[in-house]
Each structure stands twice: as C-alpha cells, then as structure tokens.
Amino acid sequence: MKNINQMMKQAQQLQTQMADMQQKLQQVEMSGISGGGMVTISINGKGEMKSIKIDPALANAEEVDILEDLIIAAFNDAKAKIDNHTAEEMSKVTGGLNLPGGLKLPF
C-alpha cells in the first residue's frame, strides 16, 4: 500500500510539473528563417504565429510563388525549433521517461 501512495504522490508531482512546463512553453517564442533571412516568422510554444517579416525586395507580383514557398519554409523552421525545445523540456520533466509514441505532451 505504501508503494501505491508513493506512486500517486509522484504522479501528482509530475502533473504539477507538466502544468508549469505548459505555462512556460506558452511564453517561449522562436523564429524560423528562410531565403537567407528574407523571410522571418516567429511562433510561440503553442505553434501560433506571432509575427512575420518579409524583405521588401520579395514584394514582386511576378514572384509570388517564391514568396509563398519562403513563408512556408520559415514557418516550418520555427515549428521544428519549437518542437525540439518542447521535447527537451519534456525530457527534463519526465526524467527521460519514454512515453508511448502517440502521446503528445504537453499539447
């Protein structure tokens, strides 16, 4: 019975740590860059776009497809950075505990 109580206490601590981490991750903002810095997109820890900066030289109606590709690439770069940061933070909280493959925490 003592082990169950200890496990419940540890689970409660982990839940508190996860909630704290979620709150901290919402404050994280990372930028993705493409086109050698011609497009920069910043997103928060929840994957929401916060800002976009486009070099005015790209504002050419004949090259809209290039601009679209650069925006997508910058967003994907920022998203990958957020995903890596989240994985690192999760590892700290779970102590390297391998969670099931389909379990995406904290979001």
Side-chain angles (χ1 to χ4, degrees), residues 56-70:
L58 290 174
N60 180 348
E62 295 173 9
E63 297 179 355
V64 170
D65 55 335
I66 294 171
L67 178 56
E68 291 169 344
D69 290 342
L70 290 174

Side-chain angles (χ1 to χ4, degrees), residues 12-80:
Q12 212 169 26
Q13 288 173 342
L14 181 60
Q15 186 176 23
T16 300
Q17 290 174 336
M18 292 292 292
D20 291 343
M21 186 186 67
Q22 285 177 340
Q23 187 176 19
K24 288 177 185 176
L25 286 173
Q26 289 178 5
Q27 305 303 315
V28 171
E29 194 169 302
M30 296 196 174
S31 297
I33 300 170
S34 68
M38 296 184 86
V39 174
T40 302
I41 292 178
S42 295
I43 63 174
N44 68 11
K46 292 176 73 175
E48 299 167 335
M49 189 182 306
K50 302 305 278 181
S51 69
I52 183 169
K53 294 182 182 172
I54 301 171
D55 187 313
L58 290 174
N60 180 348
E62 295 173 9
E63 297 179 355
V64 170
D65 55 335
I66 294 171
L67 178 56
E68 291 169 344
D69 290 342
L70 290 174
I71 290 171
I72 291 168
F75 180 84
N76 289 338
D77 183 41
K79 181 73 169 116

